[in-house]
Amino acid sequence: MRLAFTAALLLLFSQNPALGLPPIPRPYTGQGILIISSSSRKGMIPGNIVFYHEPGIGRVAERPLGEIPLLSTAINLSAGEYAAAVMGKKGNWLKIAYDEADREGWIELDRRWLYLSWEEFLPGLSGHLIKGTKKAYRVLYESSSVSAGEIGSITHEKPFLIELVRGDWLRIAPDGQNGGWLRWRDDSGRLLIFVNGTDWQEKH
């Protein structure tokens, strides 16, 4: 009887993430973004991606795209496009996470893929704060420093246009509100914003 009750509880919690499982953590930002395109064959996603300990040396993992941590919870892209945070770059090699434990490896940049720094990717995009962002990260400042004067605050319901990226800060123009500087990643380097990446694709 007790065994059956325990099994029923496990089934309940596994089917209902809101009932006790921890929330999915916000993704790390790294130094840039890798946009992975579908195969040239319509509807096909890339095959397994090979990861190395160092660029081209010491193979450590091989993963299908679906098992690699992606930025889909924070970056909206067009169908057939996938994004991953880039933690390091050496020539034509990029360092990204290959599992949910944040273990990292080096991959070679495919000619169909695109690497961009955040300073290149974010300006001109629309976005909003992720729901549940702490109050300290909802403050708008006169410049890109917490020692600057505060000029207001913003909620996750308020959309904004990204004008400029400076380190951990964005110069934004909220709809119907004076612009200011806002943190776009927290002290641990995790994203605080959701952005519409299709805006970038339309402009390029």
Side-chain angles (χ1 to χ4, degrees):
M1 184 73 171
R2 181 177 295 176
L3 182 61
F5 178 72
T6 302
L9 278 179
L10 288 173
L11 181 62
L12 176 65
F13 279 95
S14 66
Q15 293 179 343
N16 295 274
L19 300 179
L21 292 180
I24 298 174
R26 290 174 284 107
Y28 287 109
T29 59
Q31 66 182 50
I33 182 173
L34 171 64
I35 299 177
I36 302 172
S37 300
S38 296
S39 168
S40 57
R41 290 175 290 177
K42 187 176 181 180
M44 297 292 289
I45 64 173
N48 287 0
I49 299 174
V50 179
F51 292 82
Y52 294 86
H53 179 66
E54 292 292 340
I57 302 172
R59 186 164 166 165
V60 294
E62 184 174 344
R63 296 283 190 275
L65 182 62
E67 294 182 6
I68 296 172
L70 298 172
L71 296 174
S72 54
T73 59
I75 309 290
N76 178 41
L77 294 173
S78 299
E81 304 289 336
Y82 311 87
V86 176
M87 313 308 290
K89 187 176 186 298
K90 292 181 180 179
N92 206 38
W93 289 83
L94 305 175
K95 191 176 189 180
I96 69 172
Y98 60 81
D99 62 19
E100 296 298 336
D102 293 321
R103 288 182 291 187
E104 299 170 353
W106 292 89
I107 65 172
E108 190 170 16
L109 186 63
D110 187 281
R111 60 182 177 81
R112 295 165 297 176
W113 304 348
L114 180 64
Y115 166 77
L116 294 164
S117 68
W118 291 111
E119 289 78 8
E120 294 171 313
F121 178 72
L122 288 174
L125 302 187
S126 58
H128 59 79
L129 283 172
I130 293 174
K131 189 175 182 179
T133 300
K134 293 180 180 179
K135 184 178 180 180
Y137 294 119
R138 301 200 304 264
V139 178
L140 286 174
Y141 294 88
E142 291 180 347
S143 63
S144 54
S145 170
V146 292
S147 62
E150 297 182 13
I151 58 175
S153 63
I154 192 170
T155 68
H156 74 274
E157 299 166 329
K158 192 78 171 178
F160 52 76
L161 178 68
I162 300 170
E163 298 179 334
L164 182 66
V165 181
R166 183 182 294 166
D168 297 336
W169 295 82
L170 301 177
R171 167 73 187 182
I172 66 169
D175 184 28
Q177 187 174 338
N178 291 332
W181 289 88
L182 179 76
R183 287 284 299 271
W184 66 280
R185 54 187 173 193
D186 65 18
D187 293 333
S188 64
R190 291 186 182 273
L191 274 167
L192 296 168
I193 61 172
F194 179 90
V195 296
N196 185 10
T198 60
D199 292 348
W200 188 91
Q201 291 166 312
E202 290 172 1
K203 293 175 182 177
H204 297 80

